[in-house]
């Protein structure tokens, strides 16, 4: 088996017209009673397996957010590890993004690199830009992995720092996008995060980063609009987007139906 | 037993003239062969217990960085959990800062709050400001806990974004310090992180945040100067500092001696 390369896996999925990313934000307190198993580990793993089986052929990536697993201690983290292992065996063509938004000084990031890629076996991670490129080198050096940098996040208060005008003109999030595209991406493994809740900012970032992949959370429960997102987010080849929905899919009555709905809505706006 | 309140615990330690914070960055690959036990869990826990026993009465806080434990998967994380449990029994007066630099959107931060305070039982955490106050509310709402916000970090490339001049005048890290002091701290539980590697920035932040606690990493292996740090970092009451050394203490031949050395050096500059 050849090594998994995140960007190549993603391009193959885009080639099949797949842009939905399913966020495995498997909050234990939201998993229905009827799906509960004897242990936390079994409950979370079985819940995820059902979502993966129902959605894997319609999507471009899975994206578990580690916070929901870490909340349950080692049982949750083992469920996450086994979920990623399950995805890689069940459908080896779907990449897995570990959404963990980490960043520390360089020396310390080695620990997070080991956690993400050795222990969990993820294909990509999200990271926070605040420490700068120099600190994130241990991540950026992982050529086969995707390094997805927070740029403009989807939360209502994201603008507190991200929209501040640097030098009086350029919002911070645009500087982040520019630096990632121009200076951080020598291995071609970078991507950025921009929320679907801010389509104007998404369009600005698309102009700055060229054809770079953009992870776009905020569709579904957070209120992002699909048409505006696709128009603002697609790249020059009509690709470049990982459009994430988490709660709106995984806690739906029928996760496959919700995934298909989002998939079809995206395809309406070529 | 009354509830542990981070700020009160810290003030008591400062009252005893203790300002050293010992960073339990217990990188498995740096733990000497002679200290190795049959399992990773036992090795990390025993190593930490020895450091805790040797240093606890000289310091104001312990600060394990979770990255070094997460690198070893669930065994490492269990060692971290048991280390924190051990500290709280062995010396209930020393607060424990979980250095995890987390941040996500609000809903998701609930998971990290559960991880830090319920699962690990920490007294304080470090968080990343990039998402803004609104997202970090689940942390800021924890009145008894310390919420320590990254401001100016100690790594060589920290300035890439943190030093950018907002509006043409004010570096981003100063805006972070200002917002934390003026708008985030309604529960009186906030603190900020400024590296000892940049004493001028530390002095600026001290002016902005008043008497708020500042966590100061970067002493020791990272090259920060103790005299400059104390001059720039102390507050109007000659307190307010958690001066962290990690590798320089825990991997020393004699951790107690190194801690005493730093403790005495700090006391030379009242």
């Amino acid at each position: 088996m050849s090594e998994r390369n995140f960007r190549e896996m993603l391009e193959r999925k885009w080639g099949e017209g797949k842009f939905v990313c399913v966020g495995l934000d498997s909050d234990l307190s939201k998993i229905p009673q009827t799906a509960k198993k004897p242990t936390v580990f079994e409950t979370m793993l079985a819940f995820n397996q059902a979502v993966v089986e129902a959605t894997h052929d319609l999507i471009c990536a899975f994206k578990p957010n580690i916070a929901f697993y870490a909340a349950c201690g080692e049982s949750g983290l083992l469920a996450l590890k086994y979920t990623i292992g399950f995805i890689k065996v069940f459908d080896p063509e779907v990449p897995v993004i570990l959404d963990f938004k980490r960043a520390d000084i360089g020396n310390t990031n080695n620990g997070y690199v080991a956690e993400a890629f050795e222990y969990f076996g993820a294909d990509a991670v999200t990271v926070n830009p605040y420490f700068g490129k120099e600190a994130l080198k241990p991540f950026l050096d992982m050529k086969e992995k995707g390094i997805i940098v927070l740029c403009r996040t989807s939360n209502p208060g994201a603008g507190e720092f991200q929209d501040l005008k640097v030098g009086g003109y350029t919002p911070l999030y645009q500087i982040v996008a520019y630096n990632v595209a121009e200076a951080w991406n020598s291995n071609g493994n970078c991507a950025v995060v921009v929320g679907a809740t801010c389509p104007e900012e998404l369009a600005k970032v698309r102009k700055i980063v060229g054809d770079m992949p953009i992870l776009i959370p905020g569709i579904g429960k957070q209120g992002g609009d699909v048409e505006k997102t696709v128009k603002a987010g697609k790249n020059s080849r009509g690709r470049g987007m990982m459009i994430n929905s988490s709660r709106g899919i995984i806690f739906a009555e029928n996760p496959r139906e919700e995934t298909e709905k989002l998939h079809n809505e995206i395809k309406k706006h070529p």
Side-chain angles (χ1 to χ4, degrees), chain A:
Chain A
M1 203 182 79
S2 72
E3 207 178 343
R4 294 164 68 102
N5 177 295
F6 176 69
R7 183 62 184 269
E8 289 170 11
M9 294 174 84
L10 204 53
E11 290 284 353
R12 273 198 293 276
K13 289 295 160 193
W14 288 339
E16 298 167 8
K18 295 168 183 170
F19 299 98
V20 176
C21 174
V22 172
L24 296 171
D25 294 0
S26 307
D27 186 338
L28 186 65
S29 70
K30 292 207 180 80
I31 296 179
Q33 274 306 322
T34 51
K36 291 270 161 81
K37 308 284 172 195
T39 66
V40 167
F41 169 78
E42 292 168 278
T43 299
M44 295 185 101
L45 179 57
F47 178 82
N48 284 346
Q49 286 176 326
V51 174
V52 169
E53 288 176 10
T55 61
H56 71 103
D57 57 319
L58 299 168
I59 67 171
C60 69
F62 286 108
K63 182 181 73 64
N65 186 313
I66 196 170
F68 297 98
Y69 303 87
C72 303
E74 77 275 7
S75 316
L77 292 170
L78 271 179
L80 173 56
K81 181 182 167 75
Y82 279 75
T83 296
I84 295 175
F86 173 77
I87 295 170
K88 290 167 81 173
V89 170
F90 182 77
D91 189 342
E93 298 190 350
V94 181
V96 182
I97 301 163
L98 179 65
D99 193 0
F100 75 168
K101 302 183 174 75
R102 300 296 196 256
D104 207 304
I105 62 171
N107 152 58
T108 307
N109 283 326
N110 289 323
Y112 289 132
V113 164
E115 180 188 26
F117 303 126
E118 285 170 37
Y119 180 71
F120 284 117
D123 298 302
V125 290
T126 55
V127 298
N128 187 307
Y130 197 69
F131 282 83
K133 174 195 179 185
E134 168 270 331
L136 294 173
K137 189 170 184 299
F139 287 108
L140 299 171
D141 283 349
M142 304 298 287
K143 295 184 186 179
E144 310 297 321
K145 308 298 184 180
I147 310 304
I148 309 174
V149 186
L150 294 178
C151 182
R152 183 60 169 72
T153 57
S154 61
N155 57 305
E160 181 175 350
F161 302 118
Q162 297 168 29
D163 290 352
L164 290 177
K165 298 279 203 309
V166 174
Y169 297 101
T170 316
L172 177 61
Y173 79 88
Q174 292 184 21
I175 310 266
V176 171
Y178 182 83
N179 287 15
V180 172
E182 292 299 311
W184 296 29
N185 197 26
S186 52
N187 287 323
N189 59 352
C190 289
V192 289
V193 178
V194 183
T197 46
C198 47
E200 284 173 34
E201 287 84 349
L202 179 57
K204 294 251 167 68
V205 170
R206 173 52 76 203
K207 274 198 190 133
I208 295 168
V209 302
D211 281 354
M212 183 178 277
I214 305 183
L215 172 62
I216 310 170
I219 287 287
K221 294 278 178 211
Q222 289 184 60
D225 178 86
V226 176
E227 182 174 356
K228 285 182 189 164
T229 297
V230 175
K231 281 195 174 148
K234 69 183 174 195
N235 68 14
S236 70
R237 301 160 60 215
R239 301 183 173 192
M241 302 168 292
M242 301 166 265
I243 300 179
N244 185 78
S245 175
S246 302
R247 288 168 279 173
I249 287 177
I250 69 171
F251 295 120
E253 196 78 19
N254 187 330
R256 184 173 180 85
E257 230 173 73
E258 288 301 317
T259 309
E260 266 179 329
K261 220 187 277 175
L262 179 53
H263 173 75
N264 291 333
E265 223 179 316
I266 293 167
K267 294 198 82 171
K268 272 198 291 189
H269 310 289

